[in-house]
């Protein structure tokens, strides 16, 4: 399918959303994006798997990376997209409108039109953000082409309600196990019930009070939650194993090692296995270029509670923020939808900043 970058950012969002690109199946959309940027003389284009990079080389004093992921969670009868009116506000409804093809469309349109920006720009459209980190296109690109990440500032088009969200929380996952002894359920007293033994784990998590941690002027709210529980052998057997999966979202004032220490303290006395961890990202809003950006788009910075790829840039020493259309609460929702005015506002904000520095 061909994309027409001369249409409005709203229409381009709709066209991009109507190219299904569930994680692992981004090839068609990557091809369509590459077809738009490859012929443009002001851009150097690099294809890395299903990640497309396009960058200016104008010799500007500063370089900005502007990135967006092209994949979505699975479709659930919410493609093709359609325009809807909700309480008098025009929206584009459908999978990917929020997370995050509105941002992708704005970036693609500006990549085509900004032939003489005030800073050099590296545009990145990458695959497999919604799945395992080992598959993430941005991660794989950073391993093979670290030179492409040389920059003074980065903007990720994740949905932020058209506001600027600085940094992000870190995330840690763990399996907490209880053990018992199998027995026939008719003689339950012969065994030891591992599911019953998990009750103190659930009680501790239910009683856990989320902390609000202030980092560089932004208040990040933490949480520790049971997200899955499994156990049981058969309907007439006392189970000898129960597993509770726990997800801890921690403020960017601590790293994954400190988060692990805290989680193990909360669940002291239990068998805990850490299965996944990713550091968060500090806001980075003290950098002059970040302050200029925030002022130019007229935003009041907020914290990002969910983990995003700004953390990859932060780990490289590059201040990074989230800035894109769409309410994060509607990401992955079956009623995913974005106000048309928000797409237009983000386009205008980025355009003004990139051309007027």
């Amino acid at each position: 399918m061909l994309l027409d970058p001369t249409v409005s950012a709203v229409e381009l969002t709709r066209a991009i959303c109507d190219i299904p690109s569930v994680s692992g199946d981004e090839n068609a959309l990557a091809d369509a994006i590459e077809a738009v940027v490859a012929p443009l003389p002001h851009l150097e284009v690099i294809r890395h798997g299903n990640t497309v990079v396009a960058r200016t080389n104008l010799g500007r004093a500063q370089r900005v990376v502007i990135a967006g992921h092209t994949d979505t969670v699975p479709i659930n009868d919410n493609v093709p997209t359609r325009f809807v009116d909700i309480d008098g506000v025009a929206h584009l409804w459908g999978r990917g409108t929020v997370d995050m093809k509105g941002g992708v469309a704005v970036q693609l349109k500006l990549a085509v039109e900004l032939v003489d920006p005030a800073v050099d720009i590296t545009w990145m459209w990458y695959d497999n953000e919604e799945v395992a980190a080992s598959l993430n296109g941005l991660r794989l690109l950073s391993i093979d082409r670290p030179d492409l990440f040389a920059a003074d500032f980065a903007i990720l088009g994740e949905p932020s309600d058209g506001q600027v969200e600085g940094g992000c929380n870190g995330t840690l996952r763990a399996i907490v196990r209880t053990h018992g002894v199998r027995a026939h359920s008719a003689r339950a007293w012969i065994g030891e019930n591992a599911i019953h033994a998990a009750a103190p784990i659930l009680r501790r998590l239910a009683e856990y009070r989320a902390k609000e941690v202030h980092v560089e002027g932004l208040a990040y709210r933490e949480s520790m939650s049971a997200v899955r529980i499994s156990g049981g052998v058969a309907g007439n057997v006392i189970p000898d194993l129960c597993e509770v999966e726990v997800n801890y979202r921690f403020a960017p004032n601590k790293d994954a090692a400190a988060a692990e220490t805290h989680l193990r303290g909360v669940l002291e006395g239990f068998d805990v296995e850490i299965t996944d961890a990713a550091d968060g990202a500090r806001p980075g809003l003290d950098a002059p270029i970040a302050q200029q950006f925030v002022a130019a788009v007229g935003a009041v910075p907020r914290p990002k509670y969910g983990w995003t790829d700004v953390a990859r840039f932060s780990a490289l020493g590059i201040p990074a923020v989230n800035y894109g259309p769409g309410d994060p609460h509607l990401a992955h929702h079956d009623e995913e939808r974005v106000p048309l005015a928000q797409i237009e506002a983000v386009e205008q904000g980025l355009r003004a900043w990139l051309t007027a520095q």
Side-chain angles (χ1 to χ4, degrees):
M1 180 175 178
L2 296 177
L3 295 172
D4 180 2
T6 66
V7 300
S8 70
V10 167
E11 289 291 349
L12 188 56
T13 299
R14 186 179 192 184
I16 289 174
C17 288
D18 286 344
I19 302 176
S21 58
V22 174
S23 304
D25 191 28
E26 300 96 332
N27 187 70
L29 181 52
D31 286 348
I33 290 173
E34 184 181 22
V36 170
V37 295
L40 301 175
H42 68 283
L43 293 175
E44 174 192 6
V45 177
I46 301 101
R47 178 77 177 254
H48 185 271
N50 281 329
T51 293
V52 180
V53 179
R55 61 180 183 175
T56 64
N57 293 295
L58 302 170
R60 301 292 193 246
Q62 292 179 305
R63 178 175 290 275
V64 175
V65 172
I66 303 180
H69 67 81
T70 56
D71 62 321
T72 70
V73 296
I75 293 167
N76 188 24
D77 294 326
N78 47 8
V79 167
T81 54
R82 65 176 186 265
F83 293 112
V84 297
D85 184 286
I86 299 175
D87 297 327
V89 177
H91 288 71
L92 180 63
W93 175 97
R95 175 64 78 229
T97 53
V98 170
D99 194 9
M100 55 161 284
K101 290 181 175 180
V104 166
V106 167
Q107 292 163 8
L108 183 59
K109 186 168 182 61
L110 293 179
V112 172
E113 296 180 0
L114 299 185
V115 299
D116 189 31
V119 293
D120 270 313
I121 308 171
T122 301
W123 306 95
M124 295 180 176
W125 298 275
Y126 62 100
D127 60 332
N128 280 313
E129 188 272 348
E130 300 288 4
V131 289
S134 60
L135 301 174
N136 185 292
L138 201 63
R139 172 184 172 273
L140 297 176
L141 182 68
S142 70
I143 293 170
D144 291 345
R145 291 294 307 271
D147 57 300
L148 297 177
F149 288 75
D152 302 283
F153 184 51
I155 301 168
L156 198 66
E158 287 281 358
S160 62
D161 237 0
Q163 299 300 310
V164 173
E165 293 184 333
C168 67
N169 275 342
T171 181
L172 181 147
R173 289 185 176 84
I175 300 295
V176 188
R177 297 184 176 89
T178 54
H179 303 273
V181 177
R182 290 192 192 188
H184 196 297
S185 60
R187 301 172 182 82
W189 57 89
I190 302 299
E192 296 178 14
N193 195 310
I195 293 178
H196 293 180
I201 298 172
L202 300 179
R203 184 167 58 251
R204 290 187 199 181
L205 293 172
E207 294 174 351
Y208 185 84
R209 291 296 171 259
K211 297 179 180 179
E212 190 170 271
V213 181
H214 291 260
V215 183
E216 297 174 15
L218 299 183
Y220 292 85
R221 189 171 183 183
E222 298 189 330
S223 63
M224 188 180 296
S225 310
V227 293
R228 185 180 292 113
I229 186 167
S230 62
V233 180
N236 59 353
V237 177
I238 299 302
D240 60 346
L241 176 66
C242 181
E243 296 183 332
V244 181
E245 184 175 359
V246 177
N247 183 205
Y248 175 34
R249 299 287 176 147
F250 55 92
N253 67 318
K254 60 174 72 71
D255 60 14
E260 177 180 346
T261 298
H262 179 68
L263 180 140
R264 289 186 182 278
V266 172
L267 298 171
E268 185 177 2
F270 290 98
D271 175 7
V272 176
E273 177 191 357
I274 306 301
T275 58
D276 184 45
D279 289 342
R282 300 184 75 89
L285 295 172
D286 53 345
I289 190 171
Q291 294 172 358
Q292 293 163 10
F293 169 70
V294 170
V297 300
V300 177
R302 305 185 303 196
K304 187 71 169 180
Y305 295 134
W307 189 92
T308 75
D309 279 307
V310 294
R312 300 192 188 280
F313 293 103
S314 180
L316 295 170
I318 304 168
V321 299
N322 305 278
Y323 179 63
D327 181 350
H329 293 93
L330 291 174
H332 303 182
H333 199 289
D334 286 344
E335 294 299 322
E336 193 172 346
R337 59 189 183 271
V338 61
L340 306 190
Q342 217 169 80
I343 298 173
E344 295 165 347
V346 168
E347 178 195 358
Q348 292 165 7
L350 277 176
R351 185 188 300 274
W353 180 66
L354 291 168
T355 56
Q357 291 188 76

